[in-house]
Amino acid sequence: EIVMTQSPATLSVSPGETATLSCRASQSVGSSLAWYQQKPGRPPRLLFYGASTRATGIPVRFSATGSGTEFTLTINSLQSEDFAVYYCLHYNYWPYSFGQGTELETK
Amino acid sequence: EVQLVQSGGGLVQPGGSLRLSCAASGFTFSNSWMHWVRQVPGKGLLWVSRINSDGSDTKYADSVKGRFTVSRDNTRNTLYLQMNNLRADDSAVYFCVRRELSENYYDFWGQGILVTVSS
């Protein structure tokens, strides 16, 4: 089973600044990597799939890169609604696995 | 609009049973593989089970194997999770999730439903 490791666990950033979140896979997942945003009491919301393809309705201040084992989610000009928990998911082959999440909090 | 509306959660005693339902609309349910994912409040996401489009193939996490059964009724556009012999560590919010048809990532999630196992 592939282990997905996200860092940092918590990231404190001021509104208007840039946040950079990382996700590392224990072995290559190619580009089969998705990012999700989750707010309290809500289900996860798809942000990216295929490592870098933005999902419908996701603002352009969100971007994602990477392949193989190293992936990055970047959020520019942080807005108040961006403070949430972010998860990566590999879906390269069964079983899928999630990272443990990065909580993005207001500094 | 894709919708996954969940029902059936609640409080149950250890050793008890519960059946979760997930009513799908806005897409061709019978074409989609469906999954269950759970989350202890404040913790991460864990895959529980999955079923293929016609219900002929199912898989389970080791922690629920032999106790949980996933099924579907494509005539009613509904996914089910029968949970038996529940334990305290099964307490979580359960999400039904659609797997995207061609690229296999999770694209739509139900609203989540809380299951609490406690005496």
Side-chain angles (χ1 to χ4, degrees):
Chain A
E1 180 175 335
I2 297 177
V3 176
M4 307 300 293
T5 303
Q6 292 186 242
S7 60
T10 304
L11 182 61
S12 298
V13 184
S14 300
E17 296 190 339
T18 296
T20 303
L21 291 68
S22 295
C23 175
R24 174 175 292 178
S26 60
Q27 57 188 279
S28 177
V29 299
S31 294
S32 299
L33 191 285
W35 287 96
Y36 299 86
Q37 176 195 67
Q38 189 179 30
K39 296 181 180 180
R42 300 290 296 164
R45 172 195 183 195
L46 176 67
L47 299 176
F48 290 89
Y49 59 92
S52 60
T53 302
R54 197 177 290 107
T56 302
I58 303 305
V60 296
R61 64 179 182 273
F62 289 84
S63 62
T65 60
S67 66
T69 62
E70 300 284 342
F71 301 88
T72 301
L73 174 68
T74 302
I75 313 169
N76 293 310
S77 302
L78 276 163
Q79 306 293 304
S80 57
E81 62 266 29
D82 300 335
F83 293 94
V85 180
Y86 292 83
Y87 293 95
C88 61
L89 166 75
H90 103 77
Y91 54 94
N92 192 47
Y93 56 79
W94 199 254
Y96 296 178
S97 53
F98 293 93
Q100 80 281 16
T102 291
E103 181 180 6
L104 179 59
E105 64 175 26
T106 307
K107 187 173 182 180
Chain B
E1 178 193 5
V2 172
Q3 288 196 56
L4 297 170
V5 179
Q6 298 180 231
S7 59
L11 174 64
V12 62
Q13 292 188 339
S17 297
L18 211 55
R19 188 176 82 156
L20 306 183
S21 298
C22 173
S25 62
F27 66 101
T28 305
F29 180 70
S30 58
N31 287 347
S32 291
W33 290 42
M34 299 295 295
H35 292 234
W36 290 96
V37 172
R38 70 184 182 186
Q39 183 176 39
V40 174
K43 302 296 184 183
L45 299 160
L46 290 175
W47 171 78
V48 173
S49 180
R50 68 104 164 128
I51 187 168
N52 69 343
S53 56
D54 67 7
S56 62
D57 183 35
T58 59
K59 286 199 184 299
Y60 301 92
D62 287 344
S63 59
V64 307
K65 202 173 294 183
R67 300 187 299 121
F68 288 15
T69 302
V70 60
S71 63
R72 65 193 296 160
D73 184 341
N74 285 345
T75 65
R76 296 177 183 271
N77 291 340
T78 303
L79 173 73
Y80 302 100
L81 185 67
Q82 177 68 44
M83 303 185 293
N84 297 332
N85 192 20
L86 281 159
R87 310 186 306 219
D89 62 359
D90 294 318
S91 297
V93 174
Y94 285 73
F95 297 99
C96 62
V97 191
R98 187 182 84 161
R99 196 189 79 171
E100 197 275 342
L101 276 173
S102 58
E103 295 196 40
N104 301 331
Y105 53 88
Y106 295 147
D107 58 355
F108 287 97
W109 297 64
Q111 84 276 16
I113 199 146
L114 180 63
V115 171
T116 303
V117 184
S118 176
S119 54

